[in-house]
C-alpha cells in the first residue's frame, strides 16, 4: 500500500495487476475502508485483465484529512451535527470525487472504469457527470441519487447507525459486538453471514485506522449534498446499477431511481442481497462489471 499527499489529504491506495492496462477504480462506502473491496474480488478482476486500484476515502482507514477541528466521540451524531454545522462542513462529496481524479493524475491514468458502493456510488455518479472524459464505465452498487422523495432507511438501522458507539480502544469487545450486530442486520436474508469473518475484518480496520471518528465529516458531506436531477442525466458512460432486494439502508427503489435517471443504464436487482457484498456474489458482480465494460450485458 502507498500514500499520496494532495493538499490537506493523505490518500492511501493499493494497486493489483500492475501489468494490465485497463484500470478499474473501486470506491468504498461511508466510513468503510478499501479492504471492504475484498482481495479475492480484486484478484478476480485482475484475472479478467484489469489493473485494480482500491483506496481509502479521506477520513477512513489509512487516509487522512488534516483538520485542526477535533470531533468528539462521546456525543450522539445529531449533537455533533448541530455543533459542526454552525462552522460549516469540512468538505463535500464533490471534493471526495476530486480525490479520485487526483489519484488518477498521480498515477498518470487518463481514463478508468469506476465502481462505487453505497456513498462511493454517489461519488461515482459525480465523477461520471462532471468528469465524463475520465470515466470509461460506471458500476454503482447499493447506492442512491439522494433524491429526497425516495424511501428512507429502515428506522431500526438508522437508530443503530446514530447511537453512541463503544470506544474501540477502551471497550473493544463491546465495540466489536455492536459492529457485528449491525453488519448482520444489514447483510440480507439470501446469504449466510459469517460473524467470525466480519470480526477479523473489523479488527484489521482498527489496526489500519489513522483517524478517530472521521466518519462524522463524511456524514456531514452526505447530509449537505444537494440533490440535482441533472447530475445523472449528464452521465454518458456505460452504466450498471446493482442493488439487493433486502437493502435496509438504501431501499431498492433508490437503485432503480439511479438506473431510470442515467440514459441507457442497466439494472441488476439481486434477490436476498442486503447492504453488503457476500463472497457468493463475487463472481456474479465481477462478471457483470466486465460485461458493462464490454457492453455485452444480456439485460
Amino acid at each position: 500500500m502507498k500514500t499520496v499527499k494532495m493538499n490537506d489529504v493523505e490518500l492511501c491506495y493499493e494497486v493489483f495487476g500492475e501489468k494490465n492496462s485497463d484500470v478499474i477504480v473501486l470506491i468504498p462506502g461511508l466510513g468503510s475502508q478499501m479492504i471492504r473491496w475484498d482481495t479475492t474480488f480484486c484478484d478476480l478482476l485482475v484475472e479478467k485483465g484489469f489493473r485494480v486500484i482500491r483506496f481509502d476515502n479521506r477520513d477512513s482507514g489509512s487516509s487522512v484529512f488534516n483538520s485542526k477541528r477535533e470531533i468528539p466521540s462521546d456525543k450522539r451524531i445529531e449533537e455533533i451535527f448541530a455543533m459542526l454545522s454552525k462552522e460549516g462542513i469540512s468538505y463535500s462529496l464533490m471534493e471526495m470525487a476530486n480525490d479520485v481524479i487526483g489519484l488518477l493524475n498521480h498515477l498518470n491514468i487518463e481514463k478508468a472504469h469506476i465502481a462505487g458502493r453505497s456513498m462511493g456510488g454517489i461519488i461515482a455518479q459525480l465523477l461520471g457527470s462532471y468528469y465524463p472524459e475520465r470515466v470509461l464505465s460506471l458500476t454503482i452498487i447499493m447506492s442512491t441519487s439522494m433524491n429526497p422523495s425516495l424511501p428512507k432507511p429502515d428506522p431500526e438501522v438508522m437508530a443503530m447507525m446514530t447511537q453512541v458507539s463503544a470506544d474501540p480502544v477502551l471497550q473493544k469487545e463491546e465495540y466489536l459486538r455492536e459492529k457485528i450486530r449491525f453488519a448482520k442486520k444489514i447483510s440480507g436474508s439470501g446469504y449466510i453471514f459469517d460473524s467470525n469473518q466480519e470480526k477479523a475484518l473489523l479488527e484489521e480496520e482498527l489496526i489500519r485506522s489513522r483517524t478517530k471518528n472521521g466518519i462524522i465529516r463524511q456524514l456531514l458531506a452526505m447530509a449537505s449534498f444537494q440533490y440535482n436531477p441533472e447530475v445523472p442525466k449528464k452521465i454518458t458512460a456505460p452504466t450498471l446499477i446493482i442493488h439487493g432486494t433486502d437493502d435496509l439502508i438504501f431501499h431498492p427503489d433508490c437503485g432503480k431511481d439511479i438506473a431510470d435517471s442515467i440514459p441507457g443504464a442497466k439494472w441488476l436487482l439481486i434477490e436476498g442481497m442486503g447492504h453488503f457484498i457476500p463472497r457468493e456474489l463475487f463472481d456474479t458482480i465481477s462478471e457483470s462489471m466486465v460485461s458493462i465494460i464490454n457492453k455485452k450485458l444480456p439485460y
Side-chain angles (χ1 to χ4, degrees):
M1 296 184 186
K2 300 177 181 178
T3 301
V4 55
K5 184 166 175 45
M6 301 180 293
N7 298 319
D8 49 7
V9 176
E10 296 172 43
L11 214 66
C12 179
Y13 67 94
E14 186 173 17
V15 181
F16 298 78
E18 294 270 9
K19 295 181 181 179
N20 295 331
S21 57
D22 290 337
V23 177
I24 295 178
V25 179
L26 304 175
I27 309 175
L30 174 70
S32 68
Q33 301 185 19
M34 69 163 82
I35 56 176
R36 291 282 169 179
W37 290 106
D38 194 277
T39 301
T40 303
F41 182 78
C42 295
D43 287 340
L44 279 173
L45 292 172
V46 170
E47 290 170 11
K48 297 176 190 300
F50 294 91
R51 179 160 35 133
V52 178
I53 300 169
R54 65 178 186 176
F55 70 98
D56 293 320
N57 283 314
R58 57 169 71 189
D59 263 336
S60 61
S62 295
S63 289
V64 176
F65 172 70
N66 295 302
S67 172
K68 296 179 181 178
R69 187 192 305 180
E70 187 174 339
I71 298 176
S73 56
D74 59 346
K75 299 180 184 295
R76 290 183 60 84
I77 285 178
E78 294 92 337
E79 296 177 80
I80 301 172
F81 268 27
M83 180 180 69
L84 296 183
S85 294
K86 293 177 183 177
E87 303 174 40
I89 63 168
S90 299
Y91 51 78
S92 66
L93 290 184
M94 193 67 224
E95 287 173 284
M96 297 181 76
N98 288 335
D99 288 345
V100 181
I101 297 300
L103 179 58
L104 290 177
N105 291 342
H106 170 71
L107 295 172
N108 296 313
I109 298 169
E110 184 180 352
K111 299 181 179 183
H113 303 281
I114 304 293
R117 59 197 290 169
S118 196
M119 181 186 74
I122 306 172
I123 293 171
Q125 292 171 66
L126 292 172
L127 289 168
S129 184
Y130 289 96
Y131 293 99
E133 73 284 359
R134 305 297 296 270
V135 176
L136 292 169
S137 74
L138 286 175
T139 299
I140 299 168
I141 306 171
M142 56 193 187
S143 192
T144 181
S145 65
M146 297 293 280
N147 184 336
S149 68
L150 291 168
K152 305 302 181 189
D154 176 84
E156 186 179 349
V157 167
M158 277 300 294
M160 295 172 79
M161 290 177 69
T162 56
Q163 69 181 9
V164 179
S165 297
D167 189 293
V169 176
L170 301 177
Q171 304 163 289
K172 182 180 176 181
E173 291 307 312
E174 177 57 27
Y175 171 86
L176 292 173
R177 281 194 292 271
E178 286 178 2
K179 296 299 182 183
I180 291 170
R181 195 180 309 125
F182 177 73
K184 185 175 182 180
K185 176 72 176 178
I186 65 171
S187 65
S189 64
Y191 302 89
I192 296 173
F193 176 76
D194 188 335
S195 58
N196 291 326
Q197 182 184 23
E198 179 66 21
K199 182 178 181 182
L201 192 55
L202 286 165
E203 289 182 324
E204 185 179 354
E205 287 180 329
L206 288 177
I207 293 169
R208 296 187 70 254
S209 183
R210 292 178 58 198
T211 300
K212 184 177 181 181
N213 217 18
I215 188 176
I216 297 297
R217 281 190 287 259
Q218 290 186 3
L219 275 167
L220 279 169
M222 283 194 68
S224 65
F225 181 79
Q226 296 294 313
Y227 168 67
N228 180 354
E230 297 305 310
V231 167
K233 291 178 183 178
K234 292 179 181 178
I235 295 173
T236 56
T239 301
L240 169 65
I241 313 300
I242 301 175
H243 219 97
T245 59
D246 292 6
D247 196 326
L248 296 179
I249 294 181
F250 295 133
H251 189 278
D253 286 356
C254 296
K256 189 63 168 64
D257 174 72
I258 304 172
D260 290 342
S261 301
I262 298 176
K266 302 296 184 180
W267 167 241
L268 175 58
L269 183 64
I270 300 179
E271 187 68 34
M273 182 176 118
H275 202 77
F276 175 76
I277 303 177
R279 286 180 173 270
E280 295 93 330
L281 288 175
F282 285 0
D283 281 325
T284 297
I285 290 176
S286 63
E287 287 171 7
S288 296
M289 288 173 64
V290 173
S291 293
I292 194 68
I293 288 169
N294 295 329
K295 301 178 183 178
K296 292 181 179 180
L297 277 172
Y299 39 85

